[in-house]
């Protein structure tokens, strides 16, 4: 016998947990508490390595550069060099070499897309473009969530949660970070994807890859989902985007090889093995949760992920797999100075909180349902 769902609180549709057998719901609650405990491991997880630079806006150093060299300064210097008329790869190689940054393997050098675009535009216009991207992402998700919400209050809360997730992206001082652009592009792609309406989603996914290579993970996941669901044309669209990216990446590797030398530094690698708590820590400091104590921020983030699981919708399934994939990537490979990797997932991660309300209510109601037990005893 299934638990009857009460009047909807925030969501218009039943969550995945509505009507669960009581035994499964109890197991689910235990697993949820275990998951929250895992999120709390962020308290003892190592935080991002402090920068040697005194500039508060450039709080993270990369690969132990000497004093005065930070990622923000590195990217700013490259953009300034390209704006001055120098070729991108020559400027990038020389700047990274002078700053004791690695040039090997080739993906230690960022794709030129963002730097070239920023160099071609006035700084004020670049900031406005990033603001427009963030606003567009917020509006796209509000439109996507509107049919799922019971009224303006939960919809407004959902919109504010997207804003909170984009708090770092809305900071102009981070405009040169590639993940600051790629993260909202992924979120926008996810919001716009519909069955039979996949072209804009593919286009934004490709744009994210051309700015930050790690967006390939998102596009690959979307391609797998399209294939599993039998969406042949959409599958070809995602695979086509990956093909374009592969060609660009090959050209990028060749260009880097032309400006590097055997004496250039080799990256220390991406095998941090910091664990899941490290991902939680990075995700909390890369969003509006940064204003909360770490223990509370960890619990909120875990509850948000639970909310994505509760939402009975195809976009929620895709989003949850994307979050899990990037969490695994960061847990296994990110180093203590790679805080910005989490920016690929934070733009809409907190939206799950609006679905956690009904999800928790439904799971608790199902777990406390004793009607099955009563009926069984009567039959006996």
């Amino acid at each position: 016998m299934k638990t009857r769902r009460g009047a909807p609180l925030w969501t218009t549709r039943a969550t995945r947990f509505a009507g669960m057998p009581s035994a499964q719901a109890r197991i689910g609650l235990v697993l949820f508490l275990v998951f929250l405990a895992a999120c709390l491991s962020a308290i003892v997880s190592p935080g991002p390595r402090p920068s040697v630079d005194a500039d508060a806006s450039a709080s993270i150093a990369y690969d132990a550069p000497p004093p005065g060299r930070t990622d923000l300064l590195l990217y700013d210097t490259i953009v300034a060099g390209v704006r001055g008329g120098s070729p991108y790869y020559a400027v990038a190689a020389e700047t990274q070499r002078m700053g004791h940054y690695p040039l090997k393997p080739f993906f230690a050098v960022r794709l030129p897309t963002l730097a070239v675009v920023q160099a071609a535009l006035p700084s004020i216009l670049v900031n406005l473009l990033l603001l427009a991207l963030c606003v567009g992402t917020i509006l796209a998700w509000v439109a996507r969530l509107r049919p799922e919400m019971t009224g303006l209050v939960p919809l407004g809360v959902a919109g504010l949660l997207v804003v909170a997730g984009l708090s770092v992206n809305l900071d102009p001082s981070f405009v040169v970070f590639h993940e600051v652009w790629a993260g909202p592009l992924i979120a926008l792609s996810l919001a716009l994807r519909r069955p039979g309406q996949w072209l804009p989603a593919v286009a934004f996914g490709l744009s994210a890859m051309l700015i930050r290579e790690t967006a390939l993970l998102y596009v690959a996941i979307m391609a797998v989902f399209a294939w599993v669901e039998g969406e042949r044309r959409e599958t070809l669209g995602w695979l086509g985007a990956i093909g374009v990216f592969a060609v660009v990446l090959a050209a990028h590797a060749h260009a880097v090889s032309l400006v590097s030398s055997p004496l250039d530094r080799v990256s220390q690698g991406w095998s941090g093995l910091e664990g899941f708590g490290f991902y939680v820590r990075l995700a909390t400091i890369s969003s509006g949760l940064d204003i909360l104590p770490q223990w509370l921020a960890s619990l909120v983030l875990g509850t948000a992920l639970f909310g994505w699981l509760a939402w009975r919708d195809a976009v929620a399934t895709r989003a949850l797999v994307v979050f899990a994939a990037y969490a695994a990537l960061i847990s296994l490979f990110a180093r203590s100075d790679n805080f910005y990797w989490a920016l690929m997932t934070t733009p809409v991660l907190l939206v799950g909180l609006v679905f956690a309300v009904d999800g928790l209510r439904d799971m608790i109601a199902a777990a406390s349902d004793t009607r099955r037990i009563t009926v069984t005893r009567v039959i006996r």
Side-chain angles (χ1 to χ4, degrees), residues 100-120:
H100 295 262
Y101 287 81
L103 271 74
K104 300 176 182 179
F106 69 89
F107 45 78
V109 179
R110 293 287 184 264
L111 288 167
T113 313
L114 185 60
V116 170
V117 171
Q118 290 182 336

Side-chain angles (χ1 to χ4, degrees), residues 143-156:
R144 180 66 181 81
L145 293 168
R146 185 174 181 179
E148 306 291 334
M149 301 290 102
T150 56
L152 292 178
V153 172
L155 183 62

